[in-house]
Amino acid sequence: MELFWMEHKKLWRKRIVKISVLLCFVYTVIFGGILSFQWFGFGSSDDYTSAFGNNFDGYTVIRDSQQYSLSFGGELTDETLQQLVSDYQRMESAGMDRELENTDWQTVNSWLGMLYPELRDPGNYKTMICYVDPSRLTGFYERRQQAIDEFLEVSGQTGAEKEYLHQMERKVEKPFRYTWVEGWSQLLGSMVADMGAVMALFLAVILSPLFAGEWHDNTSALVLSTRNGWGRVAFAKILTGLAFTVELFALLAVSSIVAQLFFMGTAGWDMPIQNIKPIAVAPMNMLQAEMYEYAFALLGAIGFAGIVMLISAAVKNNVPALLLSLAVVYGPMMFSGYLPYGLQRALDLIPLVGSSTDIFRTNTFHILGRFIWSPNLLITVPVLIGILCMPLAVKGWSRRMKA
């Protein structure tokens, strides 16, 4: 334990670590959280002096939007949808631009385009919510079911796979709970979902020299001469890398949740994720989806840390260790679109390469004759890969130290 604390302090004393943590915090929490809520994400529009065209009043807009949504009864029915659309059209015709920002018009418009495509007017360049006849918006849940079936057919998900997904969908409670959706949509679609990809960059910068740095700093001989030897030192380094990964995640996650609670509160946590994407089949509410996305980021970060430490132990130079670590996560992101679909899905199992937003999709893996919903593997396989890499890192470093 003493050796672990020494390595832990040694890591945190480095200037590059402090700078990296600060930059990661600023990007994820300050810009991706606080300023997004207050300014460029939810601030009211029409401030043309602002770089983002928004006023610095997101807190007020969010609270007004939540209050406005309460007037629709808390359940999403055909009557609710008709009222949402007619109320939007009334405010638009009256020129109530400020009040329009409190509506879920982007979300509702996406519902219309997906579930009522025959009502689209090709000659009208306005969004559907502006001109569609509210009285024709009936059969919301029947149309949703039809849209799911059509999507599965187009995706080639038929037979046993289709039935597997239908079994999941039957657990979704109907009618849906409804309050303000847009905040949760941005939170789950980008704010929390992007955390893993951002952490990957800084984890690569910080952890890639963990082992390789001993060679770079010419301290390998000193490590061998200590009473602890390479074995215990290597184990302490692995624990240090794991501890730092969890600490960085905790710093970002706790700060982000505090910002979320301040700006959004807990309103709408029990809405199903189908309010964001109607053809989603997962029986999850917003809170469960957020918990999954944080788990995805944490477990993926642990898995990625294991890979980075293995690369660091196998390479004697900091620069190649960093470049290879970055290539592990960002390489597949760059080139997966040019690969066969099956290979794309396999690459998603690399830590932090896949996306936590798979909970909104119908992707599956077919393994040993069984279908497995992809989000279940996206939070288990990456961390297992990282755990497997850690003892290999110790062994790899020991061979080089002995040599």
Side-chain angles (χ1 to χ4, degrees):
M1 184 59 68
E2 180 182 357
L3 191 57
F4 161 72
W5 286 115
M6 290 176 59
E7 288 288 338
H8 189 263
K9 292 178 182 178
K10 176 183 174 182
L11 180 69
W12 273 102
R13 280 199 299 263
K14 294 180 179 179
R15 182 178 299 178
I16 186 64
V17 173
K18 296 176 182 178
I19 294 174
S20 296
V21 171
L22 177 61
L23 291 175
C24 189
F25 180 85
V26 169
Y27 183 86
T28 303
V29 179
I30 304 300
F31 282 94
I34 297 173
L35 291 181
S36 180
F37 280 122
Q38 181 64 17
W39 185 18
F40 48 81
F42 297 98
S44 59
S45 59
D46 295 333
D47 179 7
Y48 298 107
T49 65
S50 163
F52 298 98
N54 288 353
N55 296 301
F56 200 75
D57 59 354
Y59 180 88
T60 301
V61 172
I62 290 171
R63 296 299 176 181
D64 289 346
S65 299
Q66 291 174 333
Q67 187 63 35
Y68 172 76
S69 70
L70 296 178
S71 62
F72 297 97
E75 285 189 349
L76 181 57
T77 62
D78 289 351
E79 291 73 19
T80 304
L81 180 59
Q82 292 169 3
Q83 187 180 356
L84 282 165
V85 173
S86 61
D87 212 37
Y88 179 90
Q89 293 175 352
R90 175 186 62 80
M91 288 188 286
E92 186 198 32
S93 62
M96 302 168 65
D97 294 340
R98 177 64 182 82
E99 287 75 8
L100 288 176
E101 296 191 2
N102 297 330
T103 69
D104 262 325
W105 71 268
Q106 295 184 71
T107 297
V108 174
N109 196 67
S110 69
W111 296 346
L112 299 179
M114 183 179 297
L115 305 181
Y116 302 88
E118 76 281 2
L119 301 182
R120 189 186 303 275
D121 182 0
N124 197 323
Y125 295 103
K126 289 186 176 182
T127 55
M128 282 188 69
I129 194 173
C130 296
Y131 62 79
V132 71
D133 182 359
S135 65
R136 301 183 64 183
L137 302 177
T138 58
F140 179 88
Y141 293 99
E142 292 79 5
R143 286 174 172 269
R144 172 182 171 270
Q145 191 63 53
Q146 181 181 353
I148 292 174
D149 290 338
E150 290 175 353
F151 177 80
L152 295 179
E153 290 289 337
V154 171
S155 302
Q157 295 175 291
T158 58
E161 183 178 12
K162 181 178 180 179
E163 179 57 28
Y164 169 77
L165 294 169
H166 271 309
Q167 287 178 4
M168 291 180 56
E169 193 281 330
R170 292 187 191 106
K171 299 177 183 178
V172 177
E173 294 186 9
K174 307 176 188 70
F176 301 159
R177 291 279 304 155
Y178 174 75
T179 53
W180 184 57
V181 178
E182 186 61 27
W184 287 99
S185 179
Q186 291 199 34
L187 183 74
L188 299 179
S190 59
M191 291 182 181
V192 182
D194 293 343
M195 180 180 293
V198 176
M199 286 184 64
L201 171 62
F202 295 99
L203 286 175
V205 171
I206 294 168
L207 298 183
S208 58
L210 197 62
F211 289 97
E214 301 292 354
W215 299 98
H216 181 269
D217 299 334
N218 294 319
T219 58
S220 56
L222 178 62
V223 171
L224 280 176
S225 66
T226 63
R227 61 185 175 87
N228 297 298
W230 61 262
R232 293 182 62 188
V233 172
F235 184 67
K237 286 181 177 293
I238 292 292
L239 290 181
T240 297
L242 282 175
F244 176 82
T245 301
V246 174
E247 289 162 359
L248 178 61
F249 169 80
L251 173 66
L252 301 178
V254 171
S255 301
S256 298
I257 291 172
V258 169
Q260 173 191 342
L261 291 175
F262 176 78
F263 285 98
M264 284 180 51
T266 59
W269 70 268
D270 55 347
M271 286 190 297
I273 62 172
Q274 283 71 23
N275 281 5
I276 297 175
K277 188 173 183 180
I279 62 172
V281 297
M284 303 175 71
N285 61 36
M286 300 298 183
L287 178 60
Q288 291 169 331
E290 183 176 9
M291 292 172 63
Y292 174 88
E293 292 196 347
Y294 276 120
F296 174 91
L298 173 60
L299 297 176
I302 292 174
F304 181 66
I307 294 177
V308 173
M309 289 187 284
L310 175 59
I311 294 173
S312 180
V315 179
K316 290 187 176 182
N317 188 291
N318 289 347
V319 175
L322 173 59
L323 294 178
L324 288 172
S325 298
L326 293 174
V328 167
V329 66
Y330 295 112
M333 292 181 183
M334 294 173 58
F335 301 110
S336 65
Y338 304 98
L339 300 174
Y341 180 74
L343 187 55
Q344 293 181 36
R345 302 300 300 140
L347 290 177
D348 283 346
L349 298 177
I350 298 174
L352 299 181
V353 171
S355 173
S356 59
T357 56
D358 252 31
I359 56 176
F360 296 100
R361 306 184 182 112
T362 59
N363 295 328
T364 63
F365 287 90
H366 193 217
I367 301 175
L368 300 176
R370 297 186 61 183
F371 289 101
I372 302 176
W373 189 44
S374 66
N376 292 333
L377 293 182
L378 291 180
I379 62 170
T380 53
V381 173
V383 70
L384 292 177
I385 292 174
I387 291 173
L388 178 62
C389 287
M390 292 172 196
L392 296 178
V394 175
K395 291 181 180 179
W397 196 55
S398 69
R399 292 194 189 101
R400 287 181 171 272
M401 294 294 285
K402 289 179 179 180

